[in-house]
Amino acid sequence: MIMHLIVFLIIGGIAGWLAGLLIRGRGFGILGDILVGIVGAFIGGFLLTALGVVALFGAGIIGSVIVAFIGAVVLLFIIKLIKKV
């Protein structure tokens, strides 16, 4: 159980950090990256499942990071749009 939580936090951190680099040019700090990545994982899982393409990324850590990264980019893009309004 603890190991799953640690892996989940690591995946969230990596995905959030990568999305932060892409959208902002830098990360959000370790806690911010983890939070963005975790929320992004839920968004990415929902969107990709709804589109029927989540199976293309496969199981495992790499697939999980990709799905979380896609969701985190979507999240940051929406936040960026809202902040401009």
Side-chain angles (χ1 to χ4, degrees), residues 9-28:
L9 294 174
I10 290 171
I11 289 171
I14 292 169
W17 175 70
L18 290 173
L21 287 178
L22 181 68
I23 299 295
R24 294 182 64 206
R26 58 186 171 88
F28 297 96

Side-chain angles (χ1 to χ4, degrees), residues 27-53:
F28 297 96
I30 191 154
L31 294 177
D33 289 343
I34 290 171
L35 182 62
V36 168
I38 289 172
V39 174
F42 286 109
I43 293 171
F46 174 76
L47 289 175
L48 295 178
T49 300
L51 295 173
V53 295

